[in-house]
């Protein structure tokens, strides 16, 4: 029984710690704002306190039990919102300054949908479009998600360009063979 009590105390302490971490630093949830996650953690705190009430006698409640349960927070709350906005703008600028971006954009006019998908060009161009829209709409969750792992995403741009070069080289080889046959 003592192990169970210690575990319940530990769980409640962890829930409070997690709440304060998310309140200060936010989380990395790709779909939900920090406020939604904070309210979920708040519910976990409430449940942890109820579990203590079931196992402990009232006079033996641990100190952590008496910590104030956080108030419900606005679901749209986002920690470090200014940093998220700044990072999103920096990442969008980085994407838009990619040296071969114009070639990727022009390829979207002559490649079919499957080629755009297979090369990664469609994904790269959509990423720029969606990040730009998220910034314009002040969609902090979208900005956080789309700006995350920007270095890795830049490698996807480079891979898309390499794939485009391979397609263009293949077309040049086919044209050369056709020219040879016409002689």
């Amino acid at each position: 029984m003592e192990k169970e009590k210690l575990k319940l105390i530990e769980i409640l302490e962890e829930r409070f710690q997690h709440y304060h971490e998310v309140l200060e630093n936010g989380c990395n949830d790709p779909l939900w704002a920090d406020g939604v996650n904070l309210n979920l953690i708040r519910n976990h705190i409430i449940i942890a306190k109820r579990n203590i009430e079931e196992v402990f006698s009232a006079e033996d409640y641990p100190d952590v039990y008496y910590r104030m349960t956080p108030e419900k927070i606005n679901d749209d709350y986002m920690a470090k919102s200014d940093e998220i906005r700044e990072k999103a703008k920096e990442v969008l600028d980085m994407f838009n300054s990619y040296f071969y971006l114009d070639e990727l954009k022009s390829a979207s006019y002559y490649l079919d949908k499957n080629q755009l998908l297979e090369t990664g060009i469609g994904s790269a161009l959509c990423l720029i479009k969606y990040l730009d829209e998220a910034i314009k709409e002040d969609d902090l969750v979208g900005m956080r998600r789309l700006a995350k792992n920007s270095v890795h995403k830049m490698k996807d741009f480079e891979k898309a360009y390499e794939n485009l070069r391979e397609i263009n080289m293949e077309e040049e080889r086919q044209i050369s063979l056709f020219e040879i046959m016409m002689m």
Side-chain angles (χ1 to χ4, degrees):
M1 186 65 145
E2 198 60 37
K3 267 188 173 183
E4 183 181 358
K5 287 181 176 182
L6 290 173
K7 184 66 178 169
L8 292 174
I9 293 169
E10 183 182 320
I11 289 170
L12 183 55
E13 287 172 347
E14 287 173 357
R15 298 296 184 260
F16 273 115
Q17 181 180 354
H18 188 212
Y19 184 90
H20 290 292
E21 286 174 11
V22 173
L23 183 66
E24 290 295 316
N25 300 311
C27 61
N28 291 316
D29 192 317
L31 301 174
W32 300 99
D34 295 335
V36 172
N37 285 289
L38 286 166
N39 288 327
L40 180 62
I41 299 166
R42 176 184 178 272
N43 289 342
H44 294 170
I45 290 170
I46 292 167
I47 290 168
K49 284 186 173 189
R50 285 185 188 146
N51 290 339
I52 286 174
E53 290 168 358
E54 290 175 8
V55 174
F56 286 77
S57 59
E59 59 274 354
D60 291 334
Y61 289 166
D63 291 341
V64 69
Y65 175 86
Y66 295 103
R67 285 180 66 183
M68 193 166 95
T69 300
E71 294 291 322
K72 192 165 169 77
I73 196 165
N74 184 322
D75 282 341
D76 294 328
Y77 169 79
M78 289 291 283
K80 299 185 177 186
S81 55
D82 290 336
E83 288 180 28
I84 293 169
R85 287 182 188 100
E86 184 178 314
K87 169 82 172 171
K89 289 175 185 172
E90 287 173 10
V91 170
L92 182 61
D93 288 344
M94 180 178 70
F95 291 161
N96 280 325
S97 64
Y98 177 61
F99 189 76
Y100 297 110
L101 181 61
D102 287 339
E103 290 182 51
L104 296 179
K105 286 180 178 178
S106 66
S108 68
Y109 294 106
Y110 63 85
L111 296 179
D112 64 37
K113 288 181 182 180
N114 287 334
Q115 289 173 312
L116 290 172
L117 183 66
E118 290 170 3
T119 59
I121 294 170
S123 298
L125 296 178
C126 282
L127 178 59
I128 292 172
K129 176 185 172 194
Y130 294 145
L131 182 55
D132 185 51
E133 288 174 3
I135 291 169
K136 287 176 181 170
E137 296 170 6
D138 200 36
D139 174 3
L140 292 166
V141 176
M143 284 187 261
R144 177 174 64 191
R145 178 182 64 251
L146 295 166
K148 187 176 179 181
N149 300 322
S150 57
V151 172
H152 177 73
K153 290 174 181 171
M154 278 305 297
K155 289 180 182 177
D156 291 343
F157 278 62
E158 292 167 5
K159 182 68 176 162
Y161 179 70
E162 288 173 24
N163 293 337
L164 176 62
R165 286 187 57 205
E166 288 177 21
I167 288 174
N168 288 340
M169 287 173 35
E170 180 62 31
E171 287 179 6
E172 287 175 17
R173 281 192 293 269
Q174 288 176 359
I175 291 171
S176 296
L177 286 173
F178 179 75
E179 289 171 351
I180 290 171
M181 290 175 52
M182 295 305 289
M183 292 181 162

